[in-house]
Amino acid sequence: MEIKRGSFTAVTGESGCGKSTLTLKEIREQISYVPQEPYLYETTVAENIAYGRYGSSREDVIAAAKAANAHDFIIKLPHGYDTISGPRGNTRSDGQRQRIAIARAIIRNTPIIILDEATSALDNESEALVQEAVKALKGERTILMIAHRSSSIASADAVIQFSLSRAV
């Protein structure tokens, strides 16, 4: 499989066909990963984002949050970026957790970002905000989105369809 640098490529197919096992260990340092159910630590929103890159400044955190379409909801939280996320991030909605996880991937500053079913549990409004963030990264980073929803991959430059037997 060849993926053009700076492109947005979608990987889709049936559950269990191998979509999520594409990544080789040797290139993991070049990749930021956003899972279907991101984990947030019971610490501040800023720290949850900053975990993506050691030594990140507050300005870096805010820039990543803006790029992930998370800044607007974060500044409305009781303590803004200093609001505690709660156990496993359970005080945030699915869409908010996803956008914080995307900000964490952005701040890591890798050339490749993999979003693994990152929009599957989101409502239409949250999915649209995530899609906006992904579109803004297109050309700047190589985006690999693993998804079932056709709306999630609608703006992809290329789509690789997997089946249980092989890639199509």
Side-chain angles (χ1 to χ4, degrees), residues 62-71 102-103 106 129 132-134 136-137 140:
I62 293 170
K66 285 180 178 179
N69 277 332
H71 178 73
I102 290 169
I106 290 169
L129 289 167
E132 233 176 74
V134 169
L137 291 170
E140 186 179 309

Side-chain angles (χ1 to χ4, degrees), residues 68-133:
N69 277 332
H71 178 73
D72 290 345
F73 87 79
I74 293 171
I75 61 173
K76 292 176 186 171
L77 296 174
H79 302 287
Y81 282 86
D82 295 318
T83 302
I84 302 294
S85 292
R88 299 182 54 83
N90 68 2
T91 59
R92 306 280 61 86
S93 71
D94 288 342
Q96 290 173 341
R97 280 196 306 272
Q98 242 0 336
R99 286 179 278 154
I100 290 169
I102 290 169
R104 184 187 302 152
I106 290 169
I107 204 168
R108 189 157 181 242
N109 201 26
T110 58
I112 301 167
I113 297 177
I114 296 176
L115 296 112
D116 190 355
E117 296 289 357
T119 60
S120 65
L122 303 184
D123 59 35
N124 291 339
E125 182 181 344
S126 294
E127 181 184 16
L129 289 167
V130 168
Q131 288 302 327
E132 233 176 74

Side-chain angles (χ1 to χ4, degrees), residues 17-104:
C17 70
K19 300 180 303 290
S20 298
T21 58
L22 292 173
T23 328
L24 300 174
K25 186 176 182 179
E26 296 81 33
I27 63 169
R28 287 187 179 149
E29 287 183 0
Q30 301 296 315
I31 297 170
S32 294
Y33 179 72
V34 180
Q36 182 174 3
E37 295 181 29
Y39 185 87
L40 297 186
Y41 300 94
E42 192 172 353
T43 188
T44 69
V45 172
E47 289 171 330
N48 267 288
I49 294 170
Y51 283 143
R53 188 179 76 225
Y54 178 76
S56 299
S57 69
R58 179 57 71 112
E59 292 77 24
D60 294 335
V61 167
I62 293 170
K66 285 180 178 179
N69 277 332
H71 178 73
D72 290 345
F73 87 79
I74 293 171
I75 61 173
K76 292 176 186 171
L77 296 174
H79 302 287
Y81 282 86
D82 295 318
T83 302
I84 302 294
S85 292
R88 299 182 54 83
N90 68 2
T91 59
R92 306 280 61 86
S93 71
D94 288 342
Q96 290 173 341
R97 280 196 306 272
Q98 242 0 336
R99 286 179 278 154
I100 290 169
I102 290 169
R104 184 187 302 152

